[in-house]
Amino acid sequence: GSSGINAEYGESTSPFIIYKMKLFLLTALFGASFAHTWMSCPWSFDVDPGRPADTTGPCETENVWHGVKYPNEYKAGDRMKVGWTSNNHAGGWVRIALAPYGQHKTHKAFDDNVMKISCYGHDQRPGGTVYGDCKHPCNARPGCEYQAYEEDNARFDTTVKIPHNLADGDYVLQIKSAMSSHPHFYYSCAKISVTGGNPSLTCPQDKLIVAPKCLKGTAVELKEYTKNSKPGKFCYNKDGPGYIDADMYRVPKNVQCDPRITCAVSIDGKGCKNQDRMKDITNDWKPEQVCGEVKPAPAPTCEDGVKNQGEERIDCGGPCAACPVTMPPTTPADRVYSKFDFQKIAYPSEGYLNGNAIVHVRHKVNGWNLTLFFDRKVEISQYWGGKLLSVNEFKTVYVFKNNSWNGRLKPGSKVTVGFEGKFDLGAVDSPNLMGKDFVQS
């Protein structure tokens, strides 16, 4: 209804008061957050863990005392971890751009040289993200680990490839983000030194900046990140354009860098110290872990059941065979159904999916098969309304057949097949239905 009732005192509470109470609780919980975010991997212009954030841009002040004191040296073709401190915030995107040092004092220099857009991040654990905020480090990825797959993009970091067509010299890497409920962007930059490139190599500018699906929450719209943004003319192969994340499985040179920095920026300092290896960060000004050997993730293939290496969908498109436009459906003229609905209830933070396929039959049917084709792996554990006939090795295509009691259908009747399943917790949204079919068996 339009009001809440206090059962103990029999008093009504207006929606406005409820809203103010929620706002007060949120302020009490997250109001002590430190200054939003900045780049922590590679080491930024200012590595002071107590530093303010910058909302003017394009970079924070280049602090010669606090920043540029640790070398960020890379060779063309290296992969580099790019990370940022959560500072108790979640949701939104991060734009990453690269400009020559000396040209980095204008927004246009970065707007014209965008490398990629990634997710800002959020705590995917049940109850970890509330109203666009989380408790730092928010399940952020620790040092000695890195993003090896494109869909593993919710842990406050990513990696990029140093382009092959850069002249030897100094460059500035910029991140730009308006995370959580903040209406304006925050900027942070790092100075990197690059050698071994081939500046005579030229590559055309991509037409589009591709952005992943991310938990938006209360963050600004994605279009605000892409406004005035252009892909840089970067060459990610030694002999041509390539794709920035085609070899994301490779270990980044600065894998030891720990973007979580310190528990001093957390609203739950005690709980923060109990998070994975936070106690092992011994220098807040140079946050890193002692790694030992870090083995690369398996190289992607067109048969690994994972959307990676620039594929349009799982194992098709990009470097793989072209994706089918859709599943081979029955044609409208001879298909036996008039309507096929798919309804789902999903909880990405828990990896839970409940789905119902509802088919309206227009012709008489004596036995049927129903096919569901998902855009990623789904582990169906329970189902009803039909028998499981087959499932492919990647668990993306499920085929059900009728039970003995619902195989014969009259025109105008309806059949429902439902299920419960699990999907990877690292995803920021639930699996989508790419194809569906219902045919007479």
Side-chain angles (χ1 to χ4, degrees):
S2 60
S3 65
I5 302 297
N6 185 320
E8 183 176 356
Y9 297 102
E11 297 172 352
S12 63
T13 306
S14 74
F16 177 73
I17 294 176
I18 292 175
Y19 171 78
K20 290 186 69 176
M21 291 170 63
K22 287 182 177 179
L23 186 62
F24 172 78
L25 289 172
L26 290 174
T27 303
L29 182 59
F30 297 110
S33 299
F34 283 71
H36 312 302
T37 195
W38 57 85
M39 191 187 311
S40 43
C41 297
W43 296 301
S44 69
F45 277 0
D46 190 343
V47 295
D48 183 348
R51 53 162 285 178
D54 187 284
T55 58
T56 304
C59 297
E60 67 269 68
T61 301
E62 191 172 351
N63 193 322
V64 295
W65 298 106
H66 297 162
V68 203
K69 60 188 296 184
Y70 305 122
N72 292 312
E73 298 174 346
Y74 297 88
K75 292 182 179 179
D78 282 347
R79 290 209 70 87
M80 174 174 61
K81 178 193 287 190
V82 183
W84 42 91
T85 173
S86 78
N87 282 17
N88 310 291
H89 300 302
W93 291 265
V94 172
R95 193 195 73 174
I96 301 172
L98 183 71
Y101 187 81
Q103 300 177 24
H104 65 285
K105 297 184 179 180
T106 67
H107 285 281
K108 190 175 187 305
F110 294 104
D111 291 344
D112 290 347
N113 289 284
V114 175
M115 301 183 81
K116 65 188 284 187
I117 290 178
S118 187
C119 298
Y120 179 77
H122 70 282
D123 192 335
Q124 314 98 298
R125 297 171 297 186
T129 297
V130 181
Y131 294 100
D133 287 298
C134 51
K135 296 178 180 180
H136 181 80
C138 301
N139 198 37
R141 203 183 324 267
C144 304
E145 297 180 16
Y146 64 100
Q147 182 190 1
Y149 301 105
E150 291 178 79
E151 291 194 345
D152 183 19
N153 56 15
R155 301 190 65 187
F156 302 90
D157 71 342
T158 186
T159 68
V160 299
K161 187 173 185 176
I162 304 298
H164 284 281
N165 60 331
L166 299 183
D168 290 0
D170 293 334
Y171 293 82
V172 175
L173 187 80
Q174 182 211 54
I175 66 168
K176 170 183 174 179
S177 181
M179 77 305 295
S180 187
S181 57
H182 301 291
H184 44 252
F185 284 102
Y186 292 86
Y187 303 88
S188 185
C189 295
K191 183 179 180 182
I192 66 172
S193 178
V194 177
T195 58
N198 177 11
S200 64
L201 184 64
T202 59
C203 290
Q205 188 175 52
D206 287 337
K207 295 180 179 179
L208 296 173
I209 298 173
V210 179
K213 291 183 178 178
C214 302
L215 177 73
K216 177 184 176 297
T218 54
V220 302
E221 299 290 339
L222 176 60
K223 64 182 180 181
E224 297 301 320
Y225 289 81
T226 57
K227 187 194 317 182
N228 300 323
S229 296
K230 301 175 184 177
K233 296 179 181 180
F234 299 124
C235 300
Y236 296 109
N237 280 343
K238 288 184 177 180
D239 56 358
Y243 174 59
I244 188 171
D245 288 332
D247 58 356
M248 184 180 254
Y249 65 93
R250 290 173 49 214
V251 179
K253 182 180 177 183
N254 60 335
V255 68
Q256 80 284 355
C257 186
D258 197 319
R260 302 173 301 172
I261 302 181
T262 176
C263 286
V265 299
S266 178
I267 59 168
D268 181 16
K270 184 177 180 180
C272 172
K273 291 177 181 178
N274 293 324
Q275 298 296 310
D276 185 16
R277 284 173 277 171
M278 283 300 297
K279 292 180 179 178
D280 294 336
I281 301 176
T282 58
N283 183 353
D284 296 352
W285 293 68
K286 189 182 181 183
E288 56 185 5
Q289 299 281 347
V290 177
C291 300
E293 181 185 7
V294 179
K295 295 183 179 180
T301 71
C302 296
E303 298 177 348
D304 56 14
V306 178
K307 182 180 178 294
N308 50 28
Q309 61 176 343
E311 297 166 355
E312 293 176 25
R313 300 202 294 262
I314 296 174
D315 293 340
C316 70
C320 305
C323 295
V325 175
T326 183
M327 288 182 56
T330 49
T331 63
D334 62 9
R335 71 186 185 190
V336 297
Y337 65 91
S338 59
K339 189 177 180 182
F340 193 133
D341 293 326
F342 180 71
Q343 303 170 350
K344 70 177 182 179
I345 300 173
Y347 299 95
S349 64
E350 300 176 14
Y352 170 81
L353 178 68
N354 176 293
N356 281 288
I358 306 167
V359 180
H360 300 259
V361 178
R362 68 176 180 179
H363 297 313
K364 180 180 178 181
V365 172
N366 290 313
W368 50 262
N369 289 342
L370 182 149
T371 302
L372 300 177
F373 180 15
F374 298 98
D375 65 352
R376 73 192 69 171
K377 180 180 177 181
V378 177
E379 297 264 9
I380 291 181
S381 55
Q382 299 183 55
Y383 49 88
W384 51 90
K387 297 178 181 179
L388 183 61
L389 182 64
S390 67
V391 56
N392 71 339
E393 60 178 310
F394 302 131
K395 298 188 178 179
T396 56
V397 179
Y398 286 80
V399 181
F400 298 89
K401 63 176 291 185
N402 59 276
N403 287 311
S404 58
W405 50 269
N406 65 353
R408 297 179 178 233
L409 302 173
K410 297 178 180 180
S413 59
K414 181 172 66 174
V415 63
T416 300
V417 174
F419 67 88
E420 289 185 357
K422 289 279 189 178
F423 56 94
D424 289 342
L425 282 173
V428 297
D429 61 350
S430 60
N432 294 307
L433 199 64
M434 290 172 54
K436 56 193 178 184
D437 205 10
F438 183 86
V439 298
Q440 184 163 259
S441 60

